[in-house]
Amino acid sequence: MKNNEISFAKFCFENKHYENAKELFLNNNMLYEAGFSSLLNGNINSAKLIWKEIKDPGLATEWGLIILDVIENKPYTKSPKYFQTRAFLEVYLNLFLENEYFDWADNIINAYKFFTRSNNETPKFIARVLSSFGYNELVHEFCALAKRVCYYDPEAHFIDAETYLNEENYKSAYDAVIEGIKVAPNYYPNKKLLQMIKNTGYKA
């Protein structure tokens, strides 16, 4: 019965019935998940109260509390760890945009320098999320930042080039993907993207 209730809580969460998810998670002492459900239901105070009840918070809860400071524009009292940023930044940013918490998403984006101090892939993570929502201008901006921080990351070049291709800006797409192939000749996504650009009829 307990497993069924947890499965139903996950179903509620995935289908954005966050209040129901919160109650079911609380019933099963899954406090991180309950707090996250509260947050996505728009209730910052409830999320904070639930997470602060956790006596021995793990990495996920610690991250959640850091994010609460960021979205409330409070001073950053604790920096996230490398793997916390890697594991959670895209998840939170994606869900905030998906649920139309645009101010919260903006606060995360504007705090990119803070997160980059713990993980220099942060600009790329942000660009990757923004690309799925069609914020093309910001994608290019954060790809430029990502390449400035780590030029030899082929994925930053790929995201930039793919976004240019979606905009039908074939020259910029070609230039960006060739840049990526130069830094990592065997990175398959860039090689495949180059072929897609050529298939449009574009000639350098």
Side-chain angles (χ1 to χ4, degrees), residues 58-199:
L59 293 176
T61 304
E62 286 178 354
W63 170 269
L65 291 168
I66 289 168
I67 288 295
L68 292 183
D69 285 343
V70 171
I71 65 178
E72 290 188 290
N73 284 313
K74 291 185 175 178
Y76 310 142
T77 56
K78 185 174 183 180
S79 295
K81 297 179 175 67
Y82 174 89
F83 286 108
Q84 284 176 306
T85 303
R86 186 175 184 83
F88 300 116
L89 187 138
E90 288 180 83
V91 173
Y92 275 66
L93 182 56
N94 185 78
L95 284 169
F96 288 169
L97 288 170
E98 193 177 291
N99 288 282
E100 300 184 354
Y101 295 121
F102 298 120
D103 288 345
W104 297 357
D106 280 345
N107 287 351
I108 288 179
I109 292 167
N110 291 334
Y112 78 90
K113 289 181 181 178
F114 167 68
F115 292 113
T116 301
R117 286 199 291 270
S118 67
N119 188 318
N120 63 10
E121 291 183 279
T122 293
K124 183 184 74 176
F125 298 153
I126 293 172
R128 192 157 56 193
V129 174
L130 293 173
S131 70
S132 66
F133 288 90
Y135 294 114
N136 295 339
E137 189 176 337
L138 280 172
V139 172
H140 296 310
E141 182 181 327
F142 276 92
C143 282
L145 288 168
K147 286 185 268 187
R148 198 179 305 160
V149 173
C150 188
Y151 181 76
Y152 291 95
D153 183 342
E155 191 180 4
H157 298 275
F158 170 78
I159 296 167
D160 206 18
E162 184 182 48
T163 303
Y164 280 124
L165 180 59
N166 291 338
E167 295 172 309
E168 299 182 358
N169 185 340
Y170 302 122
K171 182 184 185 309
S172 294
Y174 178 84
D175 290 345
V177 82
I178 288 296
E179 233 185 333
I181 289 170
K182 284 179 180 176
V183 302
N186 296 319
Y187 184 69
Y188 178 72
N190 277 332
K191 292 164 72 174
K192 182 179 178 182
L193 190 61
L194 177 60
Q195 188 57 53
M196 290 172 65
I197 295 166
K198 288 179 177 178
N199 289 344

Side-chain angles (χ1 to χ4, degrees), residues 13 17-23 25-26 31-51 68 96 101 104:
F13 184 92
H17 303 302
Y18 296 122
E19 185 61 30
N20 291 338
K22 181 195 83 172
E23 295 302 328
F25 285 132
L26 283 175
L31 297 184
Y32 167 71
E33 291 80 359
F36 197 16
S37 299
S38 276
L39 183 60
L40 292 176
N41 202 37
N43 196 330
I44 293 175
N45 289 333
S46 173
K48 192 179 300 182
L49 286 170
I50 292 169
W51 282 339
L68 292 183
F96 288 169
Y101 295 121
W104 297 357

